[in-house]
Amino acid sequence: MTRLAAVTRSGDIPPRLIVMTRFPTPGLAKTRLSPVLGERGAAELSSALTLRCIRRMHLAAASKEFALEIRYTGATEEQMRRWVGRPVQLRAQVGNDLGQRLSHAIRTAFAENAPAAIVVGSDAPGLGGAHIRAALDALKTADVVLGPAKDGGYYLAGVRASAASRALPALLGPHIPWSTSRVLRSSITALEHKGITPVLLDTLSDVDRPEDLSVWQCILSLENRARSAPTISVVIPALNEAATIAEAVESAREAGAHEVIVSDGGSRDETMKIAMQATATVVSATAGRASQLNTGARMATGDVLVFLHADACLPQDAAKHIQGVLRNPEVVLGAFRFEVGDQSLVKDRLITSVGRMRHRVFKLPYGDQAQFLRRRDFEDLGGLADMPVMEDYEFAMRCKRAGLLQTAGVAAPASARAWHEHGLVRVTLLYMTMIAGFRLGVPVERLAGLQARISSRGQVAASWQADRATRQ
């Protein structure tokens, strides 16, 4: 999760990810399952698998590391758009058999200057963003990457453009026995005859045959349970937060967290000891919000991840609000309302009002609002980008490209110490400058330098920097 390019540089043509699918017409979709499910039941399963796959690929594509394309058959483009319901590139499949259709899709991507192309089927429910990123990594040095399916085929095939002339005839030629258990072995043998050794990813299950239905039923059971009663993992990044960490952990426990993970960035005080005494699981990570949250998320086992600042507290009914927000499957990222300090104080109410205005203007939830989302979505998105500043803002932007954002009706109050110590105007101007610079494309390294220079001039003192590190 830590290796993630935040955006593709302007002018670059990214690799192409192509999802191959068929419109779910009864009698034509998942025909091997029709004797068990009936024609309509088989079509409904085909629809559910495809929409699941497209949603997960759409989440992964929000990073702009690759361009997403859906290749379809059995319908018009208008029918497909109504069915898919997402702003994705749609193109009809071309060719008489699977090999020809795959070859045409890949060659078209290369003709349009994509440096690599990856094709996936839509019937492997375990396929997620991590597999696509693993394939992209493999294609940096390898000519071909394959994702083996348990039935002897493959759910993913990736090819570098520079190897297309050698690889495609071997991989997709007429000698491949499509729809048999010999597809993968035949493909590997043919590639090796051309001097190409493919990289193999993890093996996944396709849902094509009656014996595969147990895989899908298990997934449905787990996801139905996660929707009705999700387990919640609260991840708290911390650095020298001995004074506040116990209260943060206790608030998470009282809010119904399944587990509380404190991801420590190298505290020199009693933070780790106090967190463990408060029954949190403590892990060590490289200092920095992205690294610490990604490390904590990897340790998490809950259905939902909540990212809580070490100087903030969750409301007691947080679990109810989280469940309510994520009940809508189109919501990718949720957050609590912004609130700092003691709302009986005029100054803290003013700071809170300014913070809420920031949210209304930019339409994005920030890290100080206790962001939350499904763990699987976090994994498909690729986690937080490894950036020195603006990582929470970039993550929220990526989530917005992938789906809906929603704010809960209650707040997760955070400390107002930075605002109190350095002034509402100064802190607000710094936040707004960083946001504006990021949106205008200023490199994050320059923004980090700007923040450091401002701090060194005393406009925002070293203790504000410590607050920022804690929030990371």
Side-chain angles (χ1 to χ4, degrees):
M1 281 188 242
T2 57
R3 184 215 56 81
L4 176 68
V7 291
T8 299
R9 294 190 304 275
S10 177
D12 285 353
I13 297 176
R16 184 79 50 85
L17 173 64
I18 304 162
V19 178
M20 305 291 287
T21 192
R22 167 181 287 277
F23 189 77
T25 302
L28 297 177
K30 293 292 180 189
T31 54
R32 283 186 284 182
L33 294 174
S34 294
V36 177
L37 301 178
E39 292 183 347
R40 183 167 297 279
E44 290 173 352
L45 173 58
S46 176
S47 177
L49 286 168
T50 297
L51 294 178
R52 174 192 179 86
C53 176
I54 292 174
R55 183 185 189 278
R56 299 192 71 176
M57 298 303 100
H58 188 58
L59 283 166
S63 67
K64 298 186 179 180
E65 291 179 280
F66 58 86
L68 176 61
E69 175 181 299
I70 311 299
R71 286 276 180 165
Y72 65 90
T73 187
T76 65
E77 182 175 340
E78 182 180 355
Q79 287 175 311
M80 285 294 298
R81 291 211 175 276
R82 287 200 302 267
W83 175 45
V84 172
R86 296 184 186 279
V88 294
Q89 173 74 38
L90 292 172
R91 286 179 169 173
Q93 296 181 21
V94 177
N96 296 321
D97 62 24
L98 180 58
Q100 291 178 2
R101 294 193 291 270
L102 292 171
S103 180
H104 181 270
I106 294 173
R107 291 182 187 279
T108 299
F110 292 154
E112 295 171 351
N113 297 318
I118 298 171
V119 291
V120 298
S122 58
D123 48 10
L127 175 64
H131 299 96
I132 306 306
R133 286 184 289 277
L136 290 173
D137 278 345
L139 289 173
K140 291 177 182 177
T141 55
D143 291 328
V144 176
V145 59
L146 296 173
K150 286 187 177 179
D151 63 4
Y154 53 79
Y155 61 86
L156 178 151
V159 181
R160 281 203 294 185
S162 59
S165 60
R166 290 186 302 132
L168 290 181
L171 183 63
L172 303 173
H175 56 283
I176 301 297
W178 301 110
S179 300
T180 72
S181 61
R182 304 190 308 278
V183 171
L184 179 65
R185 176 45 52 192
S186 297
S187 300
I188 292 174
T189 299
L191 288 168
E192 289 175 342
H193 285 163
K194 292 288 187 177
I196 298 173
T197 301
V199 173
L200 300 183
L201 303 180
D202 295 338
T203 300
L204 298 179
S205 295
D206 282 337
V207 181
D208 277 325
R209 306 161 300 172
E211 56 264 39
D212 302 327
L213 289 175
S214 60
V215 173
W216 179 238
Q217 290 165 351
C218 180
I219 289 173
L220 284 183
S221 176
L222 290 173
E223 293 188 348
N224 287 336
R225 192 270 309 157
R227 277 192 295 271
S228 61
T231 53
I232 296 172
S233 296
V234 177
V235 181
I236 305 175
L239 180 63
N240 299 325
E241 282 291 351
T244 61
I245 192 65
E247 187 177 4
V249 172
E250 289 165 7
S251 78
R253 289 292 188 195
E254 292 173 0
H258 160 72
E259 63 186 351
V260 183
I261 300 170
V262 172
S263 186
D264 188 79
S267 293
R268 295 178 299 277
D269 62 7
E270 298 292 302
T271 296
M272 296 179 72
K273 178 180 177 180
I274 294 171
M276 287 187 283
Q277 290 173 343
T279 71
T281 299
V282 178
V283 296
S284 296
T286 303
R289 177 179 170 82
S291 174
Q292 288 175 243
L293 288 180
N294 287 334
T295 298
R298 281 195 296 270
M299 296 289 295
T301 60
D303 304 309
V304 173
L305 298 174
V306 180
F307 300 136
L308 181 68
H309 282 174
D311 62 354
C313 293
L314 290 177
Q316 287 191 341
D317 56 353
K320 178 186 71 175
H321 289 280
I322 291 169
Q323 185 176 350
V325 168
L326 296 182
R327 187 172 290 118
N328 181 352
E330 295 305 312
V331 171
V332 175
L333 181 67
F336 292 89
R337 297 179 69 194
F338 177 80
E339 182 178 302
V340 296
D342 182 353
Q343 292 304 289
S344 67
L345 301 177
V346 173
K347 186 174 183 180
D348 286 357
R349 289 203 303 271
L350 178 59
I351 294 170
T352 296
S353 296
V354 170
R356 290 179 179 175
M357 179 183 68
R358 172 194 66 178
H359 175 69
R360 288 193 296 272
V361 170
F362 294 103
K363 308 296 185 185
L364 293 172
Y366 298 81
D368 52 14
Q369 293 178 244
Q371 297 171 337
F372 57 86
L373 73 167
R374 301 172 190 87
R375 181 162 58 92
R376 190 188 72 190
D377 288 353
F378 182 79
E379 293 167 352
D380 285 339
L381 285 159
L384 279 86
D386 190 6
M387 300 162 59
V389 292
M390 303 304 294
E391 65 294 310
D392 57 343
Y393 190 86
E394 187 280 330
F395 184 69
M397 287 182 65
R398 200 164 2 122
C399 290
K400 189 173 183 179
R401 288 195 292 269
L404 300 180
L405 311 180
Q406 186 172 326
T407 303
V410 295
S415 169
R417 62 186 176 184
W419 312 80
H420 285 175
E421 292 174 11
H422 314 298
L424 173 61
V425 174
R426 287 176 177 173
V427 174
T428 299
L429 285 176
L430 178 58
Y431 278 144
M432 293 303 180
T433 299
M434 301 287 283
I435 292 171
F438 185 77
R439 292 178 73 94
L440 290 172
V442 177
V444 291
E445 291 78 13
R446 288 184 60 187
L447 293 177
L450 171 64
Q451 177 178 295
R453 287 195 299 274
I454 290 175
S455 177
S456 66
R457 290 171 187 167
Q459 293 178 344
V460 177
S463 56
W464 189 91
Q465 288 282 12
D467 180 58
R468 167 65 188 174
T470 298
R471 293 174 182 277
Q472 291 179 333

